Coordinates of all heavy atoms in Angstrom, one line a residue:
A24 N 0.8 -1.2 0.0 CA 0.0 0.0 0.0 C 0.9 1.2 0.0 O 1.0 1.9 1.0 CB -0.9 0.0 1.2
G25 N 1.6 1.5 -1.1 CA 2.4 2.7 -1.2 C 1.6 3.9 -1.5 O 0.7 3.9 -2.2
S26 N 2.0 5.0 -0.8 CA 1.4 6.3 -1.1 C 2.2 7.0 -2.1 O 3.3 6.7 -2.3 CB 1.3 7.1 0.2 OG 1.8 6.5 1.3
T27 N 1.6 8.0 -2.7 CA 2.2 8.8 -3.7 C 2.2 10.3 -3.2 O 1.2 10.8 -2.8 CB 1.5 8.8 -5.1 OG1 1.5 7.4 -5.5 CG2 2.2 9.6 -6.1
I28 N 3.4 10.9 -3.3 CA 3.5 12.3 -2.9 C 3.6 13.2 -4.1 O 4.5 12.9 -4.9 CB 4.7 12.5 -2.0 CG1 4.6 11.7 -0.7 CG2 4.9 14.0 -1.6 CD1 3.5 12.0 0.2
K29 N 2.7 14.1 -4.3 CA 2.7 15.0 -5.4 C 2.9 16.4 -4.9 O 2.5 16.7 -3.7 CB 1.5 14.9 -6.3 CG 1.4 13.6 -7.1 CD 0.4 13.8 -8.2 CE 0.5 12.6 -9.2 NZ 1.3 12.9 -10.3
N30 N 3.3 17.3 -5.7 CA 3.5 18.7 -5.3 C 2.2 19.5 -5.4 O 2.0 20.3 -6.3 CB 4.6 19.4 -6.2 CG 4.8 20.8 -5.8 OD1 4.7 21.1 -4.6 ND2 5.1 21.6 -6.8
E31 N 1.3 19.2 -4.5 CA 0.0 19.9 -4.5 C -0.2 20.7 -3.3 O -0.8 21.8 -3.3 CB -1.2 18.9 -4.7 CG -1.1 18.2 -6.0 CD -2.1 17.0 -6.2 OE1 -2.8 16.7 -5.2 OE2 -2.1 16.4 -7.2
E32 N 0.3 20.2 -2.1 CA 0.0 20.9 -0.9 C 1.3 21.6 -0.3 O 1.2 22.3 0.7 CB -0.6 20.0 0.2 CG 0.4 18.8 0.4 CD -0.3 17.7 1.2 OE1 -1.2 17.0 0.6 OE2 0.0 17.5 2.4
H33 N 2.4 21.4 -0.9 CA 3.6 22.0 -0.4 C 4.2 22.9 -1.5 O 3.9 22.7 -2.7 CB 4.6 20.9 0.0 CG 4.0 19.8 0.8 ND1 3.4 20.1 2.1 CD2 3.8 18.5 0.7 CE1 2.9 19.0 2.6 NE2 3.1 18.0 1.8
T34 N 5.1 23.7 -1.1 CA 5.8 24.6 -2.1 C 7.3 24.6 -1.9 O 7.8 24.2 -0.9 CB 5.3 26.1 -1.8 OG1 5.7 26.4 -0.5 CG2 3.9 26.3 -2.0
T35 N 8.0 24.9 -3.0 CA 9.4 25.0 -2.9 C 9.7 26.4 -2.4 O 8.8 27.3 -2.3 CB 10.1 24.9 -4.3 OG1 9.5 25.8 -5.2 CG2 9.9 23.5 -4.9
N36 N 10.9 26.7 -2.1 CA 11.2 28.1 -1.6 C 11.3 29.0 -2.8 O 11.3 28.6 -4.0 CB 12.5 28.1 -0.8 CG 13.8 27.7 -1.5 OD1 13.8 27.9 -2.8 ND2 14.8 27.3 -0.8
A37 N 11.3 30.3 -2.6 CA 11.3 31.3 -3.7 C 12.5 31.2 -4.6 O 12.5 31.7 -5.7 CB 11.2 32.7 -3.1
A38 N 13.6 30.7 -4.1 CA 14.8 30.6 -4.8 C 14.9 29.5 -5.9 O 15.7 29.5 -6.7 CB 16.0 30.5 -3.9
Q39 N 14.0 28.6 -5.7 CA 14.1 27.4 -6.6 C 12.7 27.0 -7.1 O 11.8 26.7 -6.2 CB 14.8 26.3 -5.9 CG 15.0 25.0 -6.7 CD 15.7 24.0 -5.9 OE1 16.2 24.2 -4.8 NE2 15.8 22.8 -6.5
E40 N 12.5 26.8 -8.4 CA 11.2 26.4 -8.9 C 11.1 24.8 -8.8 O 12.2 24.2 -8.8 CB 11.1 26.7 -10.4 CG 10.5 28.0 -10.6 CD 10.2 28.2 -12.1 OE1 9.7 27.3 -12.8 OE2 10.5 29.3 -12.6
F41 N 9.9 24.3 -8.6 CA 9.7 22.9 -8.5 C 10.1 22.3 -9.9 O 9.7 22.7 -10.9 CB 8.2 22.6 -8.2 CG 7.9 21.1 -8.2 CD1 8.3 20.4 -7.1 CD2 7.3 20.5 -9.2 CE1 8.1 19.0 -7.0 CE2 7.0 19.1 -9.1 CZ 7.4 18.4 -8.0
D42 N 10.9 21.2 -9.8 CA 11.3 20.5 -11.0 C 10.6 19.1 -11.0 O 10.9 18.3 -10.1 CB 12.8 20.3 -11.0 CG 13.3 19.5 -12.2 OD1 12.5 19.0 -13.0 OD2 14.5 19.4 -12.4
P43 N 9.6 18.9 -11.8 CA 8.9 17.6 -11.8 C 9.7 16.4 -12.1 O 9.3 15.3 -11.7 CB 7.8 17.8 -12.8 CG 8.2 18.9 -13.7 CD 9.2 19.7 -12.9
N44 N 10.9 16.6 -12.6 CA 11.8 15.4 -12.9 C 13.2 15.8 -12.4 O 14.2 15.8 -13.2 CB 11.8 15.2 -14.4 CG 10.5 14.6 -14.9 OD1 10.1 13.5 -14.5 ND2 9.8 15.3 -15.7
G45 N 13.3 16.0 -11.1 CA 14.6 16.3 -10.5 C 14.5 16.3 -9.0 O 13.5 16.0 -8.4
Y46 N 15.6 16.8 -8.4 CA 15.7 16.9 -6.9 C 15.0 18.2 -6.4 O 15.1 19.3 -7.0 CB 17.2 17.0 -6.5 CG 17.3 17.0 -5.0 CD1 17.3 15.9 -4.3 CD2 17.5 18.2 -4.4 CE1 17.5 15.9 -2.9 CE2 17.7 18.3 -3.0 CZ 17.7 17.1 -2.3 OH 17.8 17.1 -0.9
N47 N 14.1 18.0 -5.4 CA 13.4 19.1 -4.8 C 13.4 19.1 -3.3 O 13.5 18.0 -2.7 CB 11.9 19.1 -5.3 CG 11.8 19.4 -6.8 OD1 11.9 20.5 -7.2 ND2 11.6 18.4 -7.6
V48 N 13.3 20.2 -2.7 CA 13.0 20.3 -1.3 C 11.7 21.1 -1.1 O 11.7 22.3 -1.6 CB 14.1 21.0 -0.5 CG1 13.8 21.1 1.0 CG2 15.4 20.2 -0.7
L49 N 10.7 20.6 -0.5 CA 9.4 21.2 -0.4 C 9.2 21.6 1.1 O 9.5 20.8 2.0 CB 8.2 20.4 -0.9 CG 8.4 19.8 -2.3 CD1 7.2 19.0 -2.7 CD2 8.5 21.0 -3.3
Y50 N 8.6 22.8 1.3 CA 8.3 23.3 2.6 C 6.8 23.4 2.9 O 6.1 23.7 2.0 CB 9.0 24.7 2.8 CG 10.5 24.6 2.5 CD1 11.0 24.7 1.2 CD2 11.4 24.4 3.6 CE1 12.4 24.7 1.0 CE2 12.7 24.4 3.4 CZ 13.2 24.5 2.1 OH 14.6 24.4 1.9
D51 N 6.4 23.3 4.2 CA 5.1 23.6 4.5 C 4.9 25.1 4.8 O 5.9 25.9 4.8 CB 4.6 22.7 5.7 CG 5.3 23.0 7.0 OD1 6.0 24.1 7.1 OD2 5.2 22.2 7.9
K52 N 3.7 25.5 5.2 CA 3.4 27.0 5.4 C 4.2 27.5 6.6 O 4.4 28.7 6.7 CB 1.9 27.2 5.6 CG 1.3 26.5 6.8 CD -0.2 26.8 6.8 CE -0.9 25.9 7.9 NZ -0.3 25.8 9.2
D53 N 4.7 26.7 7.5 CA 5.5 27.1 8.6 C 7.0 27.2 8.3 O 7.8 27.5 9.2 CB 5.2 26.3 9.8 CG 3.7 26.3 10.3 OD1 3.2 27.4 10.3 OD2 3.2 25.3 10.6
G54 N 7.4 26.8 7.1 CA 8.8 26.8 6.8 C 9.5 25.5 7.1 O 10.7 25.5 6.9
N55 N 8.8 24.5 7.6 CA 9.5 23.2 7.8 C 9.6 22.4 6.5 O 8.8 22.5 5.7 CB 8.6 22.4 8.8 CG 8.4 23.0 10.1 OD1 9.4 23.4 10.7 ND2 7.2 23.0 10.6
I56 N 10.7 21.7 6.4 CA 10.9 20.8 5.3 C 9.9 19.7 5.4 O 9.8 19.0 6.4 CB 12.3 20.2 5.2 CG1 13.4 21.3 5.0 CG2 12.5 19.1 4.2 CD1 14.8 20.9 5.1
R57 N 9.1 19.5 4.3 CA 8.1 18.4 4.3 C 8.5 17.3 3.4 O 8.3 16.1 3.8 CB 6.7 19.0 3.8 CG 6.1 19.9 4.8 CD 5.6 19.2 6.0 NE 4.7 18.1 5.6 CZ 3.9 17.4 6.4 NH1 3.9 17.7 7.6 NH2 3.2 16.4 5.9
V58 N 9.1 17.6 2.3 CA 9.5 16.5 1.3 C 10.8 16.9 0.8 O 11.1 18.1 0.4 CB 8.4 16.4 0.2 CG1 8.8 15.3 -0.8 CG2 7.0 16.2 0.7
K59 N 11.7 15.9 0.7 CA 13.0 16.1 0.1 C 13.4 14.9 -0.7 O 13.4 13.8 -0.2 CB 14.0 16.4 1.2 CG 15.4 16.6 0.7 CD 16.4 17.2 1.7 CE 16.5 16.5 3.0 NZ 17.6 17.1 3.8
G60 N 13.8 15.1 -2.0 CA 14.2 13.9 -2.7 C 14.1 14.1 -4.2 O 13.8 15.2 -4.7
D61 N 14.2 13.0 -4.9 CA 14.1 13.0 -6.4 C 12.7 12.7 -6.8 O 12.1 11.8 -6.3 CB 15.1 11.9 -7.0 CG 16.5 12.3 -6.7 OD1 16.9 13.4 -7.0 OD2 17.2 11.4 -6.1
F62 N 12.2 13.6 -7.7 CA 10.9 13.4 -8.3 C 10.9 12.9 -9.7 O 11.8 13.2 -10.5 CB 10.1 14.8 -8.3 CG 9.7 15.2 -6.9 CD1 10.6 15.5 -5.9 CD2 8.3 15.2 -6.6 CE1 10.2 15.9 -4.6 CE2 7.9 15.6 -5.3 CZ 8.8 15.9 -4.3
V63 N 9.9 12.1 -10.1 CA 9.7 11.7 -11.5 C 8.3 11.9 -11.8 O 7.4 11.5 -11.1 CB 10.1 10.2 -11.6 CG1 9.8 9.7 -13.0 CG2 11.5 9.9 -11.3
N64 N 8.1 12.7 -12.9 CA 6.7 13.0 -13.4 C 5.9 13.7 -12.2 O 4.7 13.5 -12.1 CB 5.9 11.8 -13.9 CG 6.6 11.3 -15.2 OD1 7.1 12.0 -16.0 ND2 6.7 10.0 -15.3
G65 N 6.6 14.5 -11.4 CA 5.9 15.3 -10.4 C 5.6 14.5 -9.1 O 5.0 15.1 -8.1
S66 N 6.0 13.2 -9.0 CA 5.8 12.4 -7.8 C 7.1 12.1 -7.2 O 8.1 11.8 -7.9 CB 5.0 11.1 -8.1 OG 3.7 11.4 -8.6
L67 N 7.2 12.0 -5.8 CA 8.4 11.6 -5.1 C 8.8 10.2 -5.5 O 8.0 9.3 -5.4 CB 8.2 11.7 -3.6 CG 9.4 11.4 -2.8 CD1 10.5 12.4 -3.1 CD2 9.1 11.5 -1.3
F68 N 10.0 10.0 -6.0 CA 10.5 8.7 -6.4 C 11.4 8.1 -5.4 O 11.2 7.0 -4.8 CB 11.2 8.8 -7.8 CG 11.5 7.5 -8.4 CD1 10.4 6.7 -8.9 CD2 12.7 7.0 -8.5 CE1 10.7 5.5 -9.5 CE2 13.0 5.8 -9.1 CZ 11.9 5.0 -9.6
N69 N 12.5 8.9 -5.0 CA 13.4 8.5 -3.9 C 13.6 9.7 -3.0 O 14.0 10.7 -3.5 CB 14.8 8.1 -4.5 CG 14.7 6.8 -5.3 OD1 14.1 5.8 -4.9 ND2 15.4 6.7 -6.4
G70 N 13.3 9.5 -1.8 CA 13.5 10.6 -0.8 C 12.8 10.4 0.5 O 12.5 9.2 0.9
K71 N 12.5 11.5 1.2 CA 12.0 11.5 2.5 C 10.8 12.4 2.6 O 10.8 13.5 2.0 CB 13.0 11.9 3.6 CG 14.2 11.0 3.6 CD 15.2 11.5 4.6 CE 16.5 10.6 4.7 NZ 17.5 11.1 5.6
V72 N 9.8 12.0 3.4 CA 8.7 12.9 3.8 C 8.7 13.0 5.3 O 8.8 12.1 6.0 CB 7.3 12.2 3.4 CG1 6.2 13.1 3.8 CG2 7.3 12.0 1.9
F73 N 8.8 14.3 5.7 CA 8.9 14.6 7.1 C 7.5 14.9 7.7 O 6.8 15.7 7.2 CB 9.8 15.8 7.3 CG 11.2 15.5 6.8 CD1 11.6 15.9 5.5 CD2 12.2 14.9 7.7 CE1 12.9 15.6 5.1 CE2 13.5 14.7 7.2 CZ 13.8 15.0 5.9
H74 N 7.2 14.2 8.8 CA 5.9 14.4 9.4 C 6.1 15.1 10.7 O 7.1 14.8 11.4 CB 5.2 13.0 9.7 CG 4.9 12.3 8.4 ND1 3.8 12.5 7.7 CD2 5.6 11.4 7.7 CE1 3.8 11.7 6.6 NE2 4.9 11.0 6.6
Y75 N 5.2 16.0 11.0 CA 5.3 16.9 12.2 C 4.1 16.7 13.1 O 2.9 16.5 12.6 CB 5.4 18.3 11.8 CG 6.7 18.6 11.1 CD1 6.7 18.4 9.7 CD2 7.9 18.9 11.7 CE1 7.9 18.7 9.0 CE2 9.1 19.1 11.0 CZ 9.1 19.0 9.6 OH 10.2 19.2 8.9
D76 N 4.2 16.9 14.4 CA 3.1 16.8 15.3 C 2.4 18.2 15.4 O 2.8 19.1 14.7 CB 3.5 16.3 16.7 CG 4.5 17.2 17.4 OD1 4.6 18.4 17.1 OD2 5.1 16.7 18.4
N77 N 1.4 18.3 16.3 CA 0.6 19.5 16.4 C 1.5 20.7 16.9 O 1.1 21.8 16.8 CB -0.6 19.3 17.3 CG -1.6 18.4 16.6 OD1 -1.6 18.3 15.4 ND2 -2.4 17.7 17.4
N78 N 2.6 20.4 17.6 CA 3.5 21.4 18.1 C 4.6 21.8 17.1 O 5.5 22.6 17.4 CB 4.1 21.0 19.4 CG 3.1 20.7 20.5 OD1 2.2 21.5 20.6 ND2 3.2 19.6 21.2
G79 N 4.5 21.2 15.9 CA 5.5 21.6 14.9 C 6.8 20.8 15.1 O 7.8 21.1 14.4
L80 N 6.9 19.8 15.9 CA 8.1 19.0 16.1 C 8.0 17.8 15.2 O 7.0 17.2 15.0 CB 8.1 18.5 17.6 CG 8.2 19.6 18.6 CD1 8.2 19.0 20.0 CD2 9.5 20.4 18.4
K81 N 9.2 17.4 14.6 CA 9.2 16.3 13.7 C 8.9 15.0 14.4 O 9.4 14.7 15.5 CB 10.7 16.2 13.2 CG 10.8 15.4 11.9 CD 12.2 15.3 11.4 CE 12.8 16.7 11.1 NZ 14.2 16.6 10.7
S82 N 7.8 14.3 14.0 CA 7.3 13.1 14.6 C 7.8 11.8 14.0 O 8.0 10.8 14.6 CB 5.8 13.2 14.7 OG 5.2 13.2 13.4
S83 N 8.0 11.9 12.6 CA 8.5 10.7 11.9 C 9.0 11.1 10.6 O 8.7 12.2 10.1 CB 7.4 9.6 11.8 OG 6.4 10.1 11.0
I84 N 9.8 10.2 10.0 CA 10.3 10.4 8.6 C 9.9 9.2 7.8 O 10.2 8.1 8.2 CB 11.8 10.5 8.7 CG1 12.3 11.7 9.5 CG2 12.4 10.7 7.2 CD1 13.7 11.7 9.9
E85 N 9.2 9.4 6.7 CA 8.8 8.4 5.8 C 9.8 8.3 4.6 O 10.1 9.3 4.0 CB 7.4 8.7 5.3 CG 6.7 7.5 4.6 CD 5.3 7.8 4.3 OE1 4.8 8.9 4.6 OE2 4.6 7.0 3.7
I86 N 10.3 7.1 4.4 CA 11.3 6.9 3.3 C 10.6 6.4 2.1 O 9.8 5.4 2.1 CB 12.3 5.8 3.8 CG1 13.0 6.2 5.1 CG2 13.4 5.6 2.7 CD1 13.7 7.5 5.1
F87 N 10.9 7.0 0.9 CA 10.3 6.5 -0.3 C 11.5 6.0 -1.2 O 12.5 6.6 -1.3 CB 9.6 7.7 -1.1 CG 8.2 7.9 -0.7 CD1 7.9 8.4 0.6 CD2 7.2 7.5 -1.5 CE1 6.6 8.6 0.9 CE2 5.9 7.7 -1.2 CZ 5.5 8.2 0.1
T88 N 11.2 4.8 -1.8 CA 12.2 4.2 -2.7 C 11.4 3.8 -3.9 O 10.4 3.1 -3.8 CB 12.9 3.0 -2.1 OG1 13.5 3.5 -0.8 CG2 14.0 2.5 -3.0
R89 N 11.9 4.2 -5.1 CA 11.2 3.8 -6.4 C 9.7 4.1 -6.3 O 8.9 3.4 -6.8 CB 11.4 2.3 -6.7 CG 12.9 2.0 -7.0 CD 13.0 0.6 -7.4 NE 14.4 0.3 -7.7 CZ 14.8 -0.9 -7.9 NH1 14.0 -1.9 -7.9 NH2 16.1 -1.1 -8.2
G90 N 9.4 5.3 -5.7 CA 8.0 5.7 -5.8 C 7.1 5.1 -4.7 O 5.9 5.4 -4.7
K91 N 7.6 4.3 -3.9 CA 6.7 3.6 -2.9 C 7.3 3.9 -1.5 O 8.5 3.8 -1.2 CB 6.7 2.1 -3.1 CG 6.0 1.8 -4.4 CD 5.7 0.3 -4.6 CE 5.0 0.1 -5.9 NZ 4.8 -1.3 -6.2
S92 N 6.3 4.0 -0.5 CA 6.7 4.2 0.9 C 7.3 2.9 1.4 O 6.8 1.9 1.2 CB 5.5 4.6 1.7 OG 5.8 4.7 3.1
Q93 N 8.4 3.1 2.1 CA 9.1 1.9 2.8 C 8.8 1.9 4.3 O 9.3 1.1 5.0 CB 10.6 2.0 2.6 CG 11.0 2.1 1.1 CD 10.5 0.9 0.3 OE1 10.7 -0.3 0.7 NE2 9.8 1.1 -0.8
G94 N 8.0 2.9 4.7 CA 7.6 3.0 6.1 C 8.2 4.2 6.8 O 8.9 4.9 6.2
K95 N 7.8 4.4 8.0 CA 8.2 5.5 8.8 C 9.2 5.1 9.8 O 9.2 4.1 10.4 CB 7.0 6.2 9.5 CG 6.0 6.8 8.6 CD 4.9 7.4 9.3 CE 3.8 8.0 8.4 NZ 2.7 8.6 9.1
L96 N 10.1 6.1 10.1 CA 11.2 5.9 11.1 C 11.0 7.0 12.1 O 10.5 8.1 11.8 CB 12.6 6.1 10.5 CG 12.9 5.2 9.3 CD1 14.2 5.6 8.7 CD2 13.0 3.7 9.8
A97 N 11.5 6.8 13.3 CA 11.5 7.9 14.3 C 12.6 8.9 13.9 O 13.6 8.5 13.3 CB 11.9 7.3 15.7
P98 N 12.3 10.2 14.1 CA 13.3 11.2 13.6 C 14.5 11.2 14.4 O 14.5 10.9 15.6 CB 12.5 12.5 13.8 CG 11.5 12.2 14.9 CD 11.2 10.7 14.7
E99 N 15.6 11.5 13.8 CA 16.9 11.7 14.5 C 17.1 13.2 14.6 O 16.7 14.0 13.7 CB 18.1 11.1 13.7 CG 18.0 9.6 13.6 CD 19.1 9.1 12.8 OE1 20.1 9.7 12.6 OE2 18.9 8.0 12.2
S100 N 17.6 13.7 15.7 CA 17.7 15.1 16.0 C 18.5 15.9 14.9 O 18.2 17.0 14.6 CB 18.3 15.4 17.3 OG 19.6 14.8 17.4
N101 N 19.4 15.2 14.2 CA 20.2 15.9 13.2 C 19.8 15.6 11.8 O 20.5 16.0 10.8 CB 21.7 15.6 13.4 CG 22.0 14.2 13.3 OD1 21.1 13.3 13.1 ND2 23.3 13.8 13.3
D102 N 18.8 14.8 11.6 CA 18.4 14.4 10.3 C 17.5 15.4 9.6 O 16.5 15.8 10.1 CB 17.6 13.0 10.3 CG 17.4 12.4 9.0 OD1 18.0 12.9 8.0 OD2 16.8 11.3 8.9
Q103 N 17.9 15.8 8.4 CA 17.1 16.8 7.6 C 17.0 16.3 6.2 O 17.8 15.9 5.5 CB 17.8 18.2 7.6 CG 17.7 18.7 9.0 CD 17.0 20.1 9.0 OE1 16.6 20.6 8.0 NE2 16.8 20.6 10.2

């Protein structure tokens, strides 16, 4: 049951346009990194999705490989 991440709810920073077939870092409205990795046809192919709790603290990191979620990991304090 792999999920697909598309660039619909997140934005890139002003310095870099979203590349549907390349490396991107997407941020949420609070400036937190939400998605980081390589995209193919606008969907995350290899990378990480950062999940945050209601207080804005990183709660888990979801790993994507070949376009499919490999599951969530507990965040490490220095992992970005």
Side-chain angles (χ1 to χ4, degrees):
S26 0
T27 299
I28 298 296
K29 286 199 173 260
N30 180 33
E31 293 169 0
E32 59 193 69
H33 310 300
T34 59
T35 58
N36 64 25
Q39 182 178 353
E40 271 188 46
F41 179 75
D42 181 353
N44 291 296
Y46 182 82
N47 293 282
V48 178
L49 306 180
Y50 300 86
D51 65 16
K52 61 181 171 45
D53 297 320
N55 296 314
I56 294 175
R57 288 293 303 197
V58 182
K59 178 164 57 169
D61 295 308
F62 285 69
V63 174
N64 296 322
S66 296
L67 183 61
F68 192 71
N69 290 317
K71 298 177 181 179
V72 177
F73 299 92
H74 297 274
Y75 297 87
D76 65 17
N77 292 335
N78 296 317
L80 300 174
K81 199 181 297 174
S82 60
S83 64
I84 301 167
E85 190 172 2
I86 306 298
F87 274 73
T88 305
R89 294 184 177 173
K91 295 188 179 179
S92 174
Q93 304 302 308
K95 292 182 181 178
L96 305 171
E99 296 178 20
S100 58
N101 63 352
D102 192 4
Q103 291 238 356

